[in-house]
Amino acid sequence: MTKTYAELLREARATIPEVSPAEAEILAEKGARVVDVREASEWEQGHLPGAVHISKSYLEQQIEGAVPDRSSRVVLYCAGGIRSLFAAQTLKEMGYTDAVSMSGGFQQWKSEGRAWTAPVVLTQQQKQRYSRHLLIPEVGVEGQARLLGSKVLFIGAGGLGSPAMLYLAAAGVGTIGIVDFDTVDLSNLQRQIVHTNDRVGRRKTESAAETINALNPDVKVVPYEEMLTEDNVERLIAGYDVILDGTDTFETRYTLNDAAVRAGIPVVHASVFRFEGQVTVFKPFDGPCYRCLYPTPPPPELAPGCSVAGVLGVVPGVMGLLQAVEAIKLLLNIGESLAGRLLIYDALDGTFQELQLRRDPACPACGAGVAQPKATTASASAAVTA
């Protein structure tokens, strides 16, 4: 039996609840998931604050990623309130029990003077480069724009920093700072994949910048050809959202830790030894810091560096990639970070173990009585939320 458009619309209105823009705003404030089902070109002209974009053409394919709980309240809207009715009808058929359509759509929302957001518009080249990110509801255009506006500082362009900076550059992190005073040595190339054979003898910051710029011209590389010390640490870390710690001395780690806690900047820490690695996140006052984990440095003979003990080249690669993952989660404010957890990897066994970490109330860096910074750098600099 064939049906006319008018009949289909009548059926949709008979089965799908409609809410006014005022009611939709209240529902959103109470936690309802707002979904914009217009086309991408319409979304780019403006949308409701906090809405997720899934065009009606991809609704069945992408809604489960954005709203996995079918009992969640979902408010759908379009330009005038018609497409959202049919979209809500589709969700009902998929088992969503509390989907409603906003009458009047975005046009009525704006005409009533309600707040709306003008999204950052990516260039066509950026849309193509980051297309796989744009398909992920937890990233999308807003998340990608946030990555492009983020700043990550690497302490070291070695075995840990090399894979992490390559993947953060590929992901579109807009500014990558690199602190390293060393030059490329032939022995580095077994694990430090950001460098190449023809760059032996050149500055590591210069070599890393060349590789990153060749990979992604969107990224600005800021080199710091100096050793991180008590005298320059505050200047070096200022303005960065996340720090990736690839250092190999306890003295430098303590210096970095204390300054990052004072500045409220999270540090993604990793270290390796032969076939083993460990990674965690030190998020100031939201978990332990490095001094909580290691109140005093162990004797040098118990913590030899790679040049003394050796390391399987791929192990820092694994840990560096995990650092990159944690950095992206922090920048996008998604998932659960490794703050308060230490992930230990054994390459010979192919196993991961997790240890729970706690803050030390007596820690001189972040313990009781230590004043917290007003806001972390990452939260203060982020203008949009994925």
Side-chain angles (χ1 to χ4, degrees), residues 151-217:
K151 301 175 68 176
V152 175
L153 180 67
F154 284 81
I155 311 299
L160 292 166
S162 289
M165 65 179 64
L166 285 175
Y167 266 95
L168 290 188
V173 170
T175 300
I176 291 179
I178 306 173
V179 179
D180 201 305
F181 62 95
D182 204 359
T183 57
V184 179
D185 185 83
L186 189 61
S187 65
N188 301 150
L189 302 183
Q190 163 249 19
R191 63 200 178 280
Q192 299 181 18
I193 59 173
V194 77
H195 311 299
T196 57
N197 194 70
D198 60 332
R199 298 180 199 159
V200 170
R202 290 173 59 183
R203 293 283 186 182
K204 285 187 176 180
T205 53
E206 178 184 321
S207 171
E210 188 171 324
T211 301
I212 290 171
N213 289 332
L215 176 64
N216 190 350

Side-chain angles (χ1 to χ4, degrees), residues 56-374:
K56 188 173 179 295
S57 305
Y58 294 96
L59 188 64
E60 296 92 338
Q61 180 180 345
Q62 297 181 8
I63 188 62
E64 292 173 320
V67 189
D69 184 357
R70 283 174 164 76
S71 65
S72 300
R73 170 156 287 187
V74 184
V75 178
L76 300 106
Y77 76 92
C78 59
I82 303 301
R83 281 174 289 174
S84 57
L85 265 173
F86 292 119
Q89 197 172 43
T90 297
L91 293 194
K92 183 177 180 181
E93 294 172 357
M94 292 179 66
Y96 285 84
T97 58
D98 197 4
V100 300
S101 172
M102 187 178 80
S103 61
F106 188 57
Q107 294 174 357
Q108 184 173 335
W109 179 280
K110 285 203 302 182
S111 68
E112 293 179 1
R114 302 185 186 281
W116 55 281
T117 299
V120 176
V121 179
L122 304 180
T123 66
Q124 284 303 122
Q125 188 177 56
Q126 287 173 330
K127 289 178 182 179
Q128 183 175 0
R129 177 183 290 272
Y130 307 116
S131 60
R132 300 306 186 269
H133 277 178
L134 305 185
L135 295 173
I136 305 173
E138 291 85 353
V139 184
V141 175
E142 283 84 359
Q144 189 60 55
R146 184 169 187 164
L147 289 177
L148 288 165
S150 297
K151 301 175 68 176
V152 175
L153 180 67
F154 284 81
I155 311 299
L160 292 166
S162 289
M165 65 179 64
L166 285 175
Y167 266 95
L168 290 188
V173 170
T175 300
I176 291 179
I178 306 173
V179 179
D180 201 305
F181 62 95
D182 204 359
T183 57
V184 179
D185 185 83
L186 189 61
S187 65
N188 301 150
L189 302 183
Q190 163 249 19
R191 63 200 178 280
Q192 299 181 18
I193 59 173
V194 77
H195 311 299
T196 57
N197 194 70
D198 60 332
R199 298 180 199 159
V200 170
R202 290 173 59 183
R203 293 283 186 182
K204 285 187 176 180
T205 53
E206 178 184 321
S207 171
E210 188 171 324
T211 301
I212 290 171
N213 289 332
L215 176 64
N216 190 350
D218 281 343
V219 180
K220 175 184 178 183
V221 180
V222 183
Y224 303 95
E225 294 181 6
E226 51 191 303
M227 179 187 295
L228 186 140
T229 66
E230 291 282 359
D231 295 331
N232 64 13
V233 62
E234 291 187 0
R235 168 176 58 83
L236 291 175
I237 70 174
Y240 283 92
D241 301 304
V242 176
I243 302 169
L244 265 69
D245 177 14
T247 61
D248 57 4
T249 69
F250 282 91
E251 180 182 0
T252 307
R253 290 169 186 166
Y254 287 129
T255 298
L256 173 63
N257 174 81
D258 296 352
V261 170
R262 291 193 298 269
I265 305 174
V267 175
V268 184
H269 166 79
S271 60
V272 295
F273 177 76
R274 291 182 177 168
F275 298 97
E276 300 174 0
Q278 58 184 32
V279 61
T280 187
V281 171
F282 299 122
K283 196 172 182 181
F285 303 98
D286 192 30
C289 73
Y290 188 77
R291 284 193 184 273
C292 296
L293 186 57
Y294 299 105
T296 58
E301 62 270 17
L302 296 182
C306 293
S307 60
V308 176
V311 63
L312 187 68
V314 297
V315 173
V318 173
M319 308 319 294
L321 292 181
L322 289 173
Q323 283 184 288
V325 171
E326 290 301 308
I328 289 175
K329 286 159 57 180
L330 290 168
L331 293 172
L332 295 180
N333 192 29
I334 60 175
E336 183 179 349
S337 82
L338 283 174
R341 297 183 290 153
L342 181 68
L343 191 63
I344 302 173
Y345 173 62
D346 188 324
L348 290 179
D349 293 341
T351 58
F352 285 91
Q353 293 182 341
E354 184 179 298
L355 301 179
Q356 296 296 314
L357 307 177
R358 293 182 176 84
R359 285 177 61 188
D360 179 3
C363 175
C366 72
V370 178
Q372 297 187 29
K374 292 183 178 180

